[in-house]
């Protein structure tokens, strides 16, 4: 990956992104004793940063791949990102979601024109079904994080942060699958090698921490987060 890859991705993303300028947080700044700014990616059209990676991935497909259509597995933000990106690029999108997915997320994904397949009770079930359909129908699979093109898209956030605040010393990034922090870290370090990137995850769902300790992919047997209570 080169800095030019992130720059090019950013240029292409201008067609679908809303500006999310840094917002100063008096409360967090006072609590931490630092100058804290928030990058409000929840204000994107699909409600999350996921549109960046999804659009960059789909936009870079060959014409032959675009004709085949794309498929993804997701219970929410990635689903909407892929659906929206595919609609904007005129490509068929199929999203496999667990049967337990909240109705509002299913409807939001359909609203962007995607075909939704409800399968299984958990994400892993939906993922396996999506891979089956990929093989059967010839779709192109759009992974939520384990894909260089997706990382490039997510990494454009770092370009925007450092353009707006070139003297930033630390970027704190939430960790889920790892695509966001990987993209941001790669891009930010190319621009400013001395900058620190800190990943944060819930103590009750610290899969990345465990993976680093054991030097392998770790699947937690159970994890309770605020998302469970909200659902």
């Amino acid at each position: 990956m080169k800095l030019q890859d992130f720059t090019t991705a950013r240029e292409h993303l201008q067609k679908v992104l809303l500006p999310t300028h840094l917002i100063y947080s008096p409360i967090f700044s006072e609590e931490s004793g630092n100058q804290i700014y928030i990058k409000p990616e929840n204000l994107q059209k699909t409600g999350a940063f996921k549109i960046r990676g999804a659009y960059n991935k789909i936009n870079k497909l060959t014409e032959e791949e675009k004709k085949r259509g794309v498929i993804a597995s997701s219970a929410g933000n990635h689903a909407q990102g892929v659906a929206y990106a595919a609609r904007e690029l005129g490509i068929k999108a199929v999203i496999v979601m667990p049967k337990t997915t909240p109705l509002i997320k299913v409807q939001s994904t359909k609203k962007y024109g995607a075909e939704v397949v409800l399968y299984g009770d958990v994400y892993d079930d939906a993922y396996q079904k999506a891979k089956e359909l990929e093989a059967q129908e010839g779709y192109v699979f759009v992974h939520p994080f384990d894909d260089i093109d997706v990382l490039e898209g997510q990494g454009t956030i770092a370009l925007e942060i450092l353009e707006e605040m070139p003297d930033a010393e630390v970027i704190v990034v939430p960790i889920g699958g790892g695509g966001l922090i990987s993209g941001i870290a790669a891009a930010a370090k190319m621009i400013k090698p001395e900058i620190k990137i800190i990943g944060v995850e819930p103590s009750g769902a610290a899969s990345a921490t465990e993976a680093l300790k054991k030097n392998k992919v770790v699947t937690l047997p159970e994890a309770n987060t605020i998302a469970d209570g909200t659902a």
Side-chain angles (χ1 to χ4, degrees):
M1 300 172 75
K2 300 177 181 178
L3 182 57
Q4 183 59 47
D5 296 326
F6 293 102
T7 302
T8 300
R10 186 185 180 190
E11 292 172 357
H12 293 154
L13 283 167
Q14 296 306 311
K15 302 172 185 176
V16 294
L17 291 185
L18 294 175
T20 55
H21 297 296
L22 297 175
I23 300 173
Y24 177 69
S25 173
I27 294 177
F28 288 158
S29 295
E30 183 178 349
E31 287 183 351
S32 65
N34 290 291
Q35 298 296 303
I36 306 298
Y37 291 78
I38 297 171
K39 178 74 166 165
E41 281 295 287
N42 58 303
L43 299 181
Q44 291 297 348
K45 294 176 183 177
T46 57
F49 69 90
K50 294 283 188 176
I51 180 62
R52 294 175 182 265
Y55 187 89
N56 190 58
K57 168 67 177 181
I58 298 173
N59 184 60
K60 291 179 70 173
L61 297 179
T62 65
E63 290 304 313
E64 186 275 329
E65 289 173 326
K66 290 178 180 178
K67 290 178 181 178
R68 286 157 51 190
V70 297
I71 190 167
S73 53
S74 170
N77 293 331
H78 182 59
Q80 293 172 63
V82 171
Y84 182 80
R87 186 190 72 179
E88 293 301 296
L89 292 165
I91 299 169
K92 177 181 179 179
V94 178
I95 312 295
V96 184
M97 310 178 84
K99 294 179 181 178
T100 52
T101 302
L103 181 59
I104 188 171
K105 291 189 176 183
V106 176
Q107 292 176 332
S108 296
T109 304
K110 288 182 177 180
K111 179 183 69 176
Y112 292 127
E115 175 187 333
V116 174
V117 176
L118 296 177
Y119 185 86
D121 296 321
V122 295
Y123 172 77
D124 287 350
D125 296 335
Y127 173 79
Q128 291 300 327
K129 184 62 175 179
K131 295 300 288 184
E132 289 177 15
L133 291 174
E134 174 194 17
Q136 293 173 9
E137 306 295 335
Y139 298 129
V140 176
F141 187 78
V142 181
H143 199 283
F145 51 85
D146 192 12
D147 187 293
I148 293 295
D149 295 330
V150 172
L151 300 189
E152 283 177 8
Q154 321 300 34
T156 58
I157 291 175
L159 272 60
E160 294 173 12
I161 290 174
L162 292 175
E163 181 177 279
E164 192 171 354
M165 186 177 290
D167 60 345
E169 298 176 347
V170 179
I171 300 178
V172 180
V173 189
I175 301 177
L180 178 62
I181 191 169
S182 297
I184 287 178
K189 289 287 186 178
M190 290 177 188
I191 299 171
K192 191 175 183 178
E194 71 274 20
I195 196 167
K196 289 185 178 180
I197 310 297
I198 298 177
V200 181
E201 60 184 351
S203 58
S207 57
T209 301
E210 286 300 308
L212 288 171
K213 287 180 181 177
K214 299 178 180 178
N215 196 31
K216 66 178 183 179
V217 176
V218 173
T219 301
L220 299 179
E222 183 177 353
N224 295 314
T225 69
I226 190 173
D228 301 295
T230 303

